[in-house]
Amino acid sequence: MRSIRFATVALATVALALPLATGSAAAGPSAGEKAAPHSNAKSERLRSVAPEGFVVGTAVAGGGHHLEQDYPDPFTYDKEYRKVLGHQFSSVSPENQMKWDYIHPERDRYDFAQADAIVEFAKRNKQVVRGHTLLWHSQNPAWLEEGDFSKEELRTILREHVTTVVGRYAGKIQQWDVANEIFDDQGNLRTQDNIWIRELGPGIVADVFRWVHEIDPKAKLFFNDYNVESVNAKSDAYYTLIQDLLEQGVPVHGFSVQGHLSTRYGFPGDLEDNLSRFDALGLETAVTELDVRMDVPEGGVPTKAQERQQADYYQRTLEACLAVDGCNSFTIWGFTDKYSWVPVFFEGEGFANVMTDDYKRKPAFYALRDTLKEAAREDDCKKHHKH
């Protein structure tokens, strides 16, 4: 377990939150100093202040709900967005651009343009990539879900998709979300709404892990889900399944919690304990899709208290990951409210990201920055003591 002194970070975060709560970015790295709203000094970059070997990532906006909005593709056309994306983060996750309905829109046609562009962007900016996702019950194309396929045909379609997509990016993906959201909240396998499990049986999950590992043996292969931050029926189901798969020699390397949180609910205080039990199985762990939505207040401007609570949730999630040895990947699901998925899917909630629509940094951003800085200092102290 990492030993990190977070008390000073918490105090610094509260202090920073107060002047920022109205949306102003006039806070700085230390008392009396002020950073410009878009300062790109290394001391203001999440990727630069993080401990060695710890990657800080974000989803890359595009596809999905963005296609129905009144703005062009963010990654392609928003220069400020790309600038922040490159400066602040050491890991990127295609938000929708590697999902089935986007990358495989017709049975005999793939659309790799956006995924290729993201992978190339990551290479230029010295970032790693999380692949998302291969086996899921959602965002599958109509030709697949509505097709009249035999079991043999479906298995062939799935294996061909995995071979094509994983093969194209082999050696360029650090972690793959191989199986996404395969259990419901009661811990039951999705045997009805997941076409692959329904038609091919539960064993298909292990098969896909094996196929991916054969094609890209260097990639770390993950189960990924929401509402598994705590020790509960759903995370228990993953724990049991993964134990069984490991005993069978299936190449499962990681378990990740998405972290779609809301200030309507309490913080999952046993997050560290939950990550630790998967770590004890020899797995890597990760936070992969963190955002913290809040109720949109009257007048449409978050209160100081709301922003402080949001910052607290972001900070505590990061602290939990940092406290577990094998949790070395921490991803937020977008960084600007401008392109957030939350208002589209959660009526009455929003402001879930660490920057405003115009890229001003919220208290949540500084909470992450200061927590990463403190963790890096602790790591440095340990190294010096060893010598």
Side-chain angles (χ1 to χ4, degrees), residues 64-347:
H65 76 277
H66 300 285
L67 301 176
E68 300 168 0
Q69 308 307 308
D70 60 356
Y71 50 73
D73 180 71
F75 176 70
T76 304
Y77 295 103
D78 189 333
K79 291 182 180 179
E80 182 68 18
Y81 177 86
R82 290 169 64 94
K83 180 180 177 182
V84 176
L85 179 66
H87 280 139
Q88 288 291 341
F89 302 99
S90 51
S91 175
V92 291
S93 303
E95 183 180 12
N96 296 289
Q97 302 92 327
M98 285 187 179
K99 292 174 180 175
W100 268 78
D101 62 351
Y102 195 99
I103 207 168
H104 199 168
E106 299 172 19
R107 183 173 181 181
D108 298 318
R109 182 173 71 87
Y110 288 84
D111 184 352
F112 293 114
Q114 284 296 302
D116 284 356
I118 292 168
V119 171
E120 179 57 32
F121 179 91
K123 181 180 179 182
R124 289 199 310 271
N125 288 278
K126 296 180 173 56
Q127 297 165 317
V128 298
V129 181
R130 295 196 82 258
H132 180 76
T133 175
L134 298 169
L135 187 147
W136 192 24
H137 68 278
S138 185
Q139 288 185 245
N140 288 323
W143 68 263
L144 174 65
E145 291 284 359
E146 299 170 10
D148 183 19
F149 302 112
S150 68
K151 294 183 186 302
E152 292 75 16
E153 286 174 319
L154 272 178
R155 185 178 177 86
T156 298
I157 288 169
L158 178 57
R159 186 158 194 174
E160 183 264 340
H161 177 94
V162 169
T163 300
T164 302
V165 176
V166 176
R168 185 178 187 88
Y169 302 111
K172 300 176 182 178
I173 305 290
Q174 184 193 49
Q175 300 177 348
W176 262 112
D177 290 330
V178 174
N180 196 47
E181 302 171 6
I182 64 168
F183 289 103
D184 64 21
D185 284 345
Q186 289 70 49
N188 302 309
L189 207 58
R190 292 184 185 270
T191 55
Q192 294 304 311
D193 51 357
N194 187 307
I195 185 175
W196 310 114
I197 297 172
R198 182 182 70 236
E199 302 299 329
L200 302 178
I204 193 61
V205 176
D207 287 342
V208 175
F209 273 89
R210 293 187 183 101
W211 297 343
V212 178
H213 187 62
E214 288 172 8
I215 300 163
D216 191 358
K218 291 184 179 180
K220 300 296 184 179
L221 311 185
F222 276 69
F223 282 99
N224 185 58
D225 214 324
Y226 65 93
N227 287 351
V228 290
E229 292 77 26
S230 290
V231 177
N232 55 30
K234 196 175 190 180
S235 60
D236 283 348
Y238 277 104
Y239 188 80
T240 299
L241 173 63
I242 292 172
Q243 281 184 308
D244 291 343
L245 294 177
L246 291 175
E247 288 176 3
Q248 297 171 37
V250 178
V252 178
H253 306 129
F255 173 76
S256 52
V257 302
Q258 293 179 8
H260 293 297
L261 306 181
S262 171
T263 57
R264 286 184 179 180
Y265 313 108
F267 182 82
D270 57 349
L271 173 57
E272 180 186 334
D273 290 340
N274 191 36
L275 293 174
S276 294
R277 65 172 176 159
F278 287 93
D279 181 78
L281 294 179
L283 299 177
E284 294 185 15
T285 56
V287 175
T288 54
E289 305 182 21
L290 178 63
D291 49 27
V292 182
R293 61 190 186 272
M294 63 179 72
D295 289 310
V296 176
E298 197 171 332
V301 179
T303 65
K304 294 179 180 180
Q306 283 181 307
E307 290 200 329
R308 283 196 295 269
Q309 185 180 8
Q310 180 184 60
D312 177 68
Y313 279 29
Y314 269 99
Q315 178 176 332
R316 291 169 70 183
T317 306
L318 176 56
E319 287 174 352
C321 181
L322 286 165
V324 178
D325 285 339
C327 191
N328 295 310
S329 179
F330 178 87
T331 296
I332 58 178
W333 206 237
F335 53 88
T336 170
D337 291 335
K338 185 177 184 179
Y339 299 124
S340 173
W341 73 298
V342 168
V344 179
F345 291 89
F346 296 92
E347 186 176 357

Side-chain angles (χ1 to χ4, degrees), residues 11-13 15-16 19 26-35 44 366 369-370 373:
L11 291 171
T13 300
L16 283 165
S30 61
E33 295 181 18
K34 292 186 178 181
E44 295 296 313
Y366 293 104
R369 183 201 65 180
D370 291 350
K373 281 185 175 181

Side-chain angles (χ1 to χ4, degrees), residues 1-6 51-55 272 285 318-329 375-376 378-379 382:
M1 306 288 284
R2 292 191 180 98
S3 175
I4 301 173
R5 295 190 301 270
F6 286 116
E52 184 178 353
F54 189 87
V55 299
E272 180 186 334
T285 56
L318 176 56
E319 287 174 352
C321 181
L322 286 165
V324 178
D325 285 339
C327 191
N328 295 310
S329 179
E378 286 289 328
D379 281 2
K382 288 179 186 177

